[in-house]
Amino acid sequence: MVTTPQQSPAHPVYVIGGGPGGLAVAASLRERGVRAVVLEKSDAVGASWRTHYDRLRLHTTRRLSGLPGLRIPRSFGRWVARADVVRYLEKYAEKHELEVVTGVEVFRVERAGEEWVLHATGGRRLIGRAVVVATGYNHTPYVPEWPGRDAYEGELSHARAYRNPGPYAGKDVLVVGVGNTGAEIAADLAEGGAGRVRLAVRTVPHIVRRTTLGWPAQRSGILIRRLPAGLVDRLGALLARFATPDLTAYGLPRPDTGLATRQREGAVPVQDVGLIDAVRSGKVEVVAAVDAFEGDGVLLADGTRITPDTVIAATGYRRALEPLLGHLDGVLDEHGRPVAHGARCPRDVPGLYFTGFTNPISGMFRELAMDAEKIARRIARSR
């Protein structure tokens, strides 16, 4: 039974971001009788998922991806499609009767005694008893400042703008970056009628099967997440030899850095949803990393110059937390990432929480759900 939020102190907990992490925290707080207000800068919840490419599905299983208080419907299948994730998040906010305010962007958060002041759209000055930052791992698209980039005469876009292969039919496309997004977009283009697809790789990734003999990679990630890195590196190498083919002849040798070691550096394995077959069949050609742009050409690290019709930069995102929190001591590290997450607050900064700023091998939605419960318990106890 939900405890009525009116039992909470006058000032609510403000949750910045209406994605899965923010909604999960708000629902968990409401369940404990704590009023939570979700501030979302777009016009609807799940904004990031609404703009992802059409082909995208959760890389984690439906059973292990539900948020607190509502399972993902079985009818959505084992691997939930992007559109169904959006439907689920909409239903989640409705079911938990969450207080979501859309069209409000928070620009700066300040500490004022035991309270928090949020400066937001329209000159708003909001007072909260605590703040949960859930603006997301993929917040601001990042495109490297390659030499010659601004004068490039061809088409260059970030992967955020990619939806489906339709506009690229018959075109020569260079995808830059071999994380999960770049790998999947390259496979999508190859299957969807692009004339030629090349994939520029700087650091060779670990590639894992989404399932092996029916066993999802996510469950392996859960089992090994707390094991010593050296042991996981060895286990990962053994599994790779059993489950994934050697693609050295195609330009993708096995990495010389272990799976856990790479993950602790911030790089999760690439889940294969078509890349292996596309590379082996020649539909996706692996090329060297991009070094620079020159006129209508792209210069690669091996000295090659190519002239694709379009370049899609799957080069990641930045958290973009500095304008919001960079003025607070001890909150962000030298890379602009939160120094604490989940139920832990930064030292000497009580009442400030973060969720969704790690990229766990055990599954983002699962970790968001766990963090939400921990954060809510901690805040509820502090009343």
Side-chain angles (χ1 to χ4, degrees), residues 340-379:
H341 70 276
R344 294 185 299 111
C345 298
R347 183 179 297 178
D348 301 324
V349 191
L352 180 63
Y353 301 88
F354 295 87
T355 184
F357 292 94
T358 59
N359 200 4
I361 196 171
S362 51
M364 178 67 84
F365 272 53
R366 179 178 181 273
E367 296 296 327
L368 290 174
M370 294 169 64
D371 275 354
E373 297 281 12
K374 294 174 184 176
I375 292 171
R377 283 196 296 267
R378 174 79 177 273
I379 292 176

Side-chain angles (χ1 to χ4, degrees), residues 73-258:
R74 188 173 183 177
S75 60
F76 287 0
R78 191 180 196 191
W79 311 105
V80 184
R82 179 197 63 81
D84 286 334
V85 171
V86 173
R87 290 170 56 196
Y88 171 69
L89 295 177
E90 292 174 338
K91 181 65 177 178
Y92 191 84
E94 178 185 346
K95 192 261 186 186
H96 290 287
E97 299 180 342
L98 300 183
E99 193 172 345
V100 180
V101 183
T102 59
V104 174
E105 182 175 4
V106 179
F107 300 106
R108 185 178 175 91
V109 175
E110 297 176 339
R111 183 77 172 164
E114 295 185 356
E115 298 172 340
W116 288 91
V117 179
L118 290 75
H119 300 273
T121 303
R124 292 177 175 87
R125 185 175 181 273
L126 308 172
I127 309 297
R129 54 175 292 203
V131 174
V132 182
V133 181
T135 49
Y137 192 84
N138 295 337
H139 185 274
T140 302
Y142 169 71
V143 178
E145 294 184 3
W146 289 296
R149 185 195 71 178
D150 294 340
Y152 178 52
E153 298 171 3
E155 295 180 2
L156 171 63
S157 62
H158 189 271
R160 170 68 71 85
Y162 179 85
R163 294 293 175 272
N164 57 65
Y168 303 93
K171 290 188 175 182
D172 181 344
V173 185
L174 174 67
V175 180
V176 184
V178 69
N180 276 293
T181 297
E184 190 157 359
I185 288 177
D188 196 33
L189 287 165
E191 296 169 10
R196 183 177 188 179
V197 181
R198 284 175 282 200
L199 180 61
V201 176
R202 184 172 300 278
T203 304
V204 179
H206 285 272
I207 302 176
V208 299
R209 297 288 193 185
R210 189 164 63 178
T211 58
T212 302
L213 300 177
W215 177 265
Q218 182 188 9
R219 288 197 178 276
S220 297
I222 293 170
L223 291 175
I224 67 175
R225 66 190 297 267
R226 298 194 184 281
L227 294 178
L231 177 58
V232 175
D233 286 348
R234 291 192 292 273
L235 290 173
L238 288 173
L239 179 62
R241 294 185 183 281
F242 166 73
T244 57
D246 185 354
L247 300 176
T248 301
Y250 302 94
L252 284 176
R254 298 193 189 278
D256 54 10
T257 305

Side-chain angles (χ1 to χ4, degrees), residues 7 24 40 52 60-61 64 135 143 224 239 259 283 323 352:
Q7 296 176 13
E40 168 54 48
H52 284 315
T60 54
T61 66
L64 296 175
T135 49
V143 178
I224 67 175
L239 179 62
L259 188 149
K283 293 180 179 179
L352 180 63

